[in-house]
Every structure is written in C-alpha cells, then in structure tokens.
Amino acid sequence: MNKISNVKLKRGISYQTGLWIALFVFGIFRNYGELEQPNFSEIFYYDVCHWIFQIIGANWIYFVLIRRFFEAKKYVSFTLYFIAGMYILGVLNRLFIVYIAEPLFANYPQNNISNILTDVRYLLFHYILPIISGSFIFISMMFILRYRDEKQNALQLQKEKSELELKALKAQLNPHFLFNTLNNIYSLSITGSRAISQSISQLSDILDYILYHGQREMVPITEELKIVKDYISLEMLRYDKRLKLTMEEKIETPGMIPPLLYLSFVENAFKHGAEKTSGNVTVSISIETYANTVIFMVENQFFGEYENVGTGIGLENTRKQLDLYYPNQYSLEISHLNNWFTIKLMTPIK
C-alpha cells in the first residue's frame, strides 16, 4: 500500500511540475507580447510571484475545498471558504510583491497595507482572477487524471473479480467431476472387475491434469482432448460393450481454450446418457478448428425428462465460465430431438 501511495505521489508531483512550468512559460510570453516596451527581467519576477501563489491556491482549492467540502456536499462551507481564501491569497500575493519582491528588482513607491486590504477591485482583477484561472486549468487536469485512474481501477477490479469467480467455479466443478469418477470406480469394485487398476491409472492422469493444468487460464486444445480421451477410456471400462462411441477430430488450426471446458460437456453426456439407461447408448463427439473458430459438438442418446437437462452444477458452471472467458463472443446451442441430446459450442480461436 505504501509503495502504491509513493508511486501516486511521485506521479502527481511530475504532472504538476510539467503543468506549472508550461503555464509559467506561457504567461511570460503572453505578457511580453502584450507590452509595447517590455522589460523581460521585470516580467519574469512578477510572473514568478504570481506563479507561486497560483500553485498554492490551486492545490488548496482542489485538495482542501473540493475534496473535503464540495465532494462531501458541504456547499455553503465550500463557498464561504472559497471567497475568504481567494481574498486572503490575493492580499498575501500583493503584500509579497510590494514588500518582498519589488524592492529586489524595482524602486516603486509602496502602497500602504490599508490600501492593499481595501482595494478589492484591484485585488480581484490583478491577483485573484490569475489564481482562479491557473487553478481552473490545474483542477481540470486533476479530474481528468482521477477519471483515468478510476477507470483503470474499475477494470482491474473487474479482472480480479472475474479471476476469483473462475477459481470459485473450478472449485465447484472439480469436486463434482471427481465425485462422478469415483462413483465409476466404486461400481467397478462392486462387480469385481479386473479393470480397477486401469481405471485408477486413468483417474491419476485426470487428477494430474486438474491439479497442474486446470488452474491455468488457457490450455492447448490438444491437451484438453487428451484428457477427454482419458475420461472416455475410464467410462468405457465401466460401460463396456453397451457403449458405442464415435469421436471425430479435424484440428487444422492450433488454439487455446479454458481448461476442463470440453471435459465438462463430455462428462455431462455420460451422466445424462449412459447412466439413464440400462440398454445400449451412443455418444458422439466431434471437434473442428478453422482460422478463427472452434466448433465442438457432443451428442448422446437421452431417455430422461428434457426439462431437467442442463440444470446441473457442471453445465451451469460451464456457462458462467464461457461468459467470463468469451463475453458476447461464443455460441452455445443445446437441443433435444428424437431422444438425442446435442450440445454445440462455437468459440473464437485464441
């Protein structure tokens, strides 16, 4: 936190330095051009005196009046302090010039303090308005910088929020997936299947993928397909000959996808397909990559209530992840026709 504050302080000082130097140079050339017989050294000294009080006034207006009173909607206090403050700064500026600065470079008769305090019109046009004009430019710059910083902070917070949401979704999805896989192995153990050791090996590969790849933002499509095949092998051990599986791959363009994305759709096909029937069941998987698009499709025979499909943890979380990874950039079609349940996902190549 201290490091961030120091960075903001240094940045604020650098912005102010650049702005006030630019205003000072502009003021000198403007005054020099307006006079018929300009005295550059005299103009320089007067502008330095006004410049000092412009800096003081601008910072006081912004950091004290605006930040503490105006933004807190204390408008009456803001107005009173502004009027009193501008008058005091104008008087101090004139006193500084008359009694401190002018004796160093000129020999002009000095106004008495009473005249300085009561000549409000002269103070307004020669001292207060220059302070206000410099303050207006400075405050405008500060509001622009604040708007930019707030926008950047909002984007950063949104990014962090999205990352936290993704982690939470994966934390929900992974136990859900593991629970179903362990159920598969349990079913094999009850039947005394000799494929238990092979299924444990497949599960080990899946766990390795979840632990070391599932937490990454993106993984190659080929890696995701490899773990999908491991999962399919595990399911085929469970369903044996009654499961008919077809898988078609046309990988013409390499790309990246969120980890566990395709796996969740495949797992859903087995959960709502093979698990819901004791007879033969077919699952069809296809993936095609093009220059800018990836099309992934899963089809499975379906014999349950259609209204209940797609409401489980897996698909709900997958939808949320798609919204976070591909906002308004993906297409997800879920259909049910003639006892066939189809999921078609189109995502951009990344």
Side-chain angles (χ1 to χ4, degrees):
M1 186 65 68
N2 291 333
K3 185 177 180 180
I4 295 175
S5 299
N6 291 335
V7 171
K8 288 185 177 180
L9 179 61
K10 292 179 180 178
R11 186 177 61 182
I13 292 173
S14 65
Y15 284 143
Q16 284 214 46
T17 301
L19 172 68
W20 290 117
I21 290 175
L23 289 179
F24 178 72
V25 173
F26 172 77
I28 287 180
F29 282 104
R30 183 195 62 187
N31 294 331
Y32 190 84
E34 290 177 351
L35 299 176
E36 293 182 1
Q37 295 179 341
N39 184 330
F40 182 80
S41 62
E42 193 170 293
I43 291 173
F44 177 83
Y45 288 124
Y46 276 120
D47 280 357
V48 167
C49 296
H50 288 296
W51 186 59
I52 292 171
F53 282 87
Q54 281 183 327
I55 296 173
I56 295 172
N59 281 272
W60 179 72
I61 292 172
Y62 178 74
F63 290 105
V64 178
L65 294 185
I66 291 178
R67 299 301 297 269
R68 295 188 180 182
F69 294 98
F70 189 83
E71 292 182 358
K73 298 182 179 180
K74 299 178 181 179
Y75 301 124
V76 175
S77 298
F78 170 82
T79 303
L80 294 176
Y81 282 123
F82 177 78
I83 294 173
M86 288 298 97
Y87 173 76
I88 292 171
L89 281 173
V91 169
L92 292 175
N93 193 0
R94 190 173 181 187
L95 288 173
F96 180 82
I97 290 176
V98 171
Y99 289 99
I100 298 176
E102 281 185 346
L104 299 176
F105 63 86
N107 187 22
Y108 296 129
Q110 294 180 341
N111 299 103
N112 60 56
I113 295 178
S114 177
N115 289 337
I116 291 175
L117 294 175
T118 57
D119 193 352
V120 177
R121 180 180 176 84
Y122 189 83
L123 285 173
L124 177 63
F125 287 100
H126 292 84
Y127 293 92
I128 295 175
L129 287 181
I131 293 175
I132 293 175
S133 62
S135 300
F136 177 79
I137 297 172
F138 170 75
I139 292 168
S140 300
M141 182 197 73
M142 294 303 295
F143 273 111
I144 292 172
L145 294 176
R146 276 182 63 185
Y147 173 77
R148 187 197 64 179
D149 290 342
E150 288 173 359
K151 187 174 181 180
Q152 289 178 345
N153 291 337
L155 291 173
Q156 182 64 27
L157 288 174
Q158 181 61 38
K159 180 181 178 181
E160 292 175 358
K161 178 176 177 290
S162 298
E163 291 175 352
L164 289 174
E165 288 177 351
L166 285 171
K167 289 180 181 178
L169 292 172
K170 288 177 181 179
Q172 291 179 3
L173 177 62
N174 295 351
H176 172 69
F177 165 73
L178 292 174
F179 177 78
N180 290 334
T181 305
L182 289 172
N183 271 345
N184 294 350
I185 296 176
Y186 176 72
S187 299
L188 291 174
S189 66
I190 291 177
T191 60
S193 172
R194 297 179 180 178
I196 292 178
S197 60
Q198 186 178 353
S199 65
I200 292 175
S201 176
Q202 297 287 348
L203 178 59
S204 175
D205 292 338
I206 293 172
L207 284 173
D208 179 75
Y209 183 81
I210 291 174
L211 291 174
Y212 296 103
H213 295 78
Q215 306 308 316
R216 289 158 55 184
E217 184 176 353
M218 289 284 186
V219 295
I221 292 175
T222 52
E223 290 188 13
E224 180 78 3
L225 290 179
K226 180 180 181 300
I227 205 63
V228 165
K229 293 174 183 178
D230 287 339
Y231 176 79
I232 291 172
S233 298
L234 184 59
E235 292 288 2
M236 293 184 72
L237 291 173
R238 177 184 176 188
Y239 295 106
D240 201 14
K241 295 181 180 179
R242 74 182 185 92
L243 173 65
K244 296 181 180 179
L245 177 83
T246 60
M247 186 167 183
E248 184 178 357
E249 300 177 49
K250 293 182 180 179
I251 310 295
E252 298 180 0
T253 305
M256 308 286 285
I257 60 165
L260 306 176
L261 179 61
Y262 295 161
L263 184 60
S264 62
F265 287 126
V266 174
E267 187 252 353
N268 183 77
F270 281 98
K271 178 182 177 183
H272 294 286
E275 284 188 9
K276 300 299 181 180
T277 180
S278 57
N280 294 333
V281 67
T282 301
V283 176
S284 176
I285 302 170
S286 66
I287 180 169
E288 296 181 67
T289 64
Y290 300 94
N292 301 311
T293 308
V294 184
I295 301 176
F296 181 78
M297 188 161 62
V298 180
E299 298 177 283
N300 64 274
Q301 287 179 292
F302 179 73
F303 301 98
E305 293 294 329
Y306 175 65
E307 290 78 12
N308 296 328
V309 176
T311 59
I313 293 175
L315 278 182
E316 286 183 1
N317 283 352
T318 303
R319 286 181 185 273
K320 293 177 182 178
Q321 290 192 60
L322 286 169
D323 289 334
L324 291 170
Y325 277 113
Y326 306 107
N328 302 318
Q329 295 178 313
Y330 75 92
S331 170
L332 178 61
E333 300 176 8
I334 300 177
S335 61
H336 174 256
L337 182 64
N338 297 328
N339 291 329
W340 278 91
F341 182 71
T342 303
I343 295 177
K344 183 178 180 181
L345 173 65
M346 297 179 62
T347 55
I349 286 283
K350 288 195 174 184

